[in-house]
Amino acid sequence: GAVVSQHPSRVICKSGTSVKIECRSLDFQATTMFWYRQFPKQSLMLMATSNEGSKATYEQGVEKDKFLINHASLTLSTLTVTSAHPEDSSFYICSARGRDRASSGNTIYFGEGSWLTVV
Amino acid sequence: AQSVTQPDIHITVSEGASLELRCNYSYGATPYLFWYVQSPGQGLQLLLKYFSGDTLVQGIKGFEAEFKRSQSSFNLRKPSVHWSDAAEYFCAVLEYGNKLVFGAGTILRVKS
């Protein structure tokens, strides 16, 4: 299956600083990528949809000025958490829509996730 | 809006026993359905998916799922559970705009 890679897998930053998380599709072109946040013992919450070459679409309640998303190429999307606070500490997961070679339909593949701890 | 219900928050099965994880969805058109597995602290791994055709879908790690339109269900099954299957399982439906709508997840515990 297709591979989506996230980096870094774990990051600790100081309160007030910014941190960038990368999401790469390694063997397919992803015109659309998605960013999720997952709180402990909860399901995934969609934050935004990232389309290559255009502005991201944010879900209701997600601060677009705080969570900056850039999708500059067909294989890379980045999430930058600006002026991070301890409450931003969470598990962030990206996913990418790719075409499955075994079928004619699209499949959503997920990255490994990134643990962010703001101290 | 589309929704996915996983009625069981936790399930415990003995190693070697069979497993069925329930998933019900609400979706107006023919759904694209997925099952993912998440081990603690890790991302999601795709187990299987249903787009169309045969309603019994085979996935990785010996899992299968059956799409039943009349019951709006897409239950995940495995005939014999291994200790390494202990994880959290998410059912999801792909809605318009390629957004995935997830169920709340089911935590599987395997006892020896």
Side-chain angles (χ1 to χ4, degrees):
Chain A
V3 179
V4 175
S5 176
Q6 265 185 257
H7 178 80
S9 57
R10 291 183 180 274
V11 59
I12 300 174
C13 71
K14 291 184 177 180
S15 186
T17 63
S18 297
V19 61
K20 180 186 289 186
I21 301 171
E22 293 186 347
C23 178
R24 293 181 185 273
S25 57
L26 297 185
D27 57 356
F28 67 100
Q29 292 185 333
T31 55
T32 305
M33 289 184 171
F34 305 86
W35 287 96
Y36 293 82
R37 183 173 180 177
Q38 187 177 29
F39 293 98
K41 300 184 180 180
Q42 294 188 27
S43 188
L44 284 75
M45 180 191 78
L46 179 65
M47 298 173 65
T49 302
S50 167
N51 293 299
E52 186 267 337
S54 63
K55 291 183 179 180
T57 303
Y58 290 82
E59 296 298 303
Q60 193 171 9
V62 178
E63 299 175 63
K64 60 182 180 182
D65 294 330
K66 180 168 188 60
F67 299 99
L68 300 180
I69 292 172
N70 183 278
H71 193 159
S73 77
L74 287 172
T75 60
L76 174 64
S77 176
T78 60
L79 168 68
T80 301
V81 182
T82 63
S83 187
H85 289 107
E87 56 264 31
D88 297 326
S89 299
S90 188
F91 190 52
Y92 293 88
I93 309 178
C94 74
S95 68
R97 179 174 67 97
R99 184 164 292 276
D100 191 317
R101 295 185 185 88
S103 72
S104 60
N106 288 313
T107 298
I108 308 293
Y109 298 96
F110 282 82
E112 310 96 326
S114 299
W115 283 102
L116 170 63
T117 302
V118 184
V119 297
Chain B
Q2 284 64 246
S3 66
V4 176
T5 302
Q6 292 179 247
D8 304 306
I9 298 174
H10 296 98
I11 281 187
T12 300
V13 299
S14 298
E15 191 169 14
S18 63
L19 169 72
E20 182 169 34
L21 302 182
R22 294 183 291 165
C23 172
N24 293 94
Y25 66 89
S26 72
Y27 191 71
T30 299
Y32 286 1
L33 296 158
F34 302 81
W35 273 99
Y36 291 90
V37 60
Q38 184 180 33
S39 296
Q42 297 187 24
L44 275 70
Q45 182 182 24
L46 177 67
L47 286 175
L48 47 78
K49 59 187 182 291
Y50 171 78
F51 289 160
S52 64
D54 193 344
T55 56
L56 184 62
V57 180
Q58 302 298 321
I60 63 171
K61 303 185 178 185
F63 285 94
E64 66 177 27
E66 186 170 12
F67 170 62
K68 293 184 177 180
R69 183 187 298 276
S70 61
Q71 298 177 18
S72 297
S73 69
F74 189 56
N75 294 348
L76 182 71
R77 300 194 294 250
K78 186 169 184 177
S80 178
V81 170
H82 188 263
W83 65 267
S84 60
D85 293 325
E88 188 160 16
Y89 292 80
F90 291 96
C91 179
V93 63
L94 190 69
E95 66 172 18
Y96 181 77
N98 287 301
K99 297 179 184 180
L100 275 176
V101 177
F102 284 92
T106 298
I107 296 173
L108 172 64
R109 298 192 181 108
V110 180
K111 59 181 181 181
S112 56

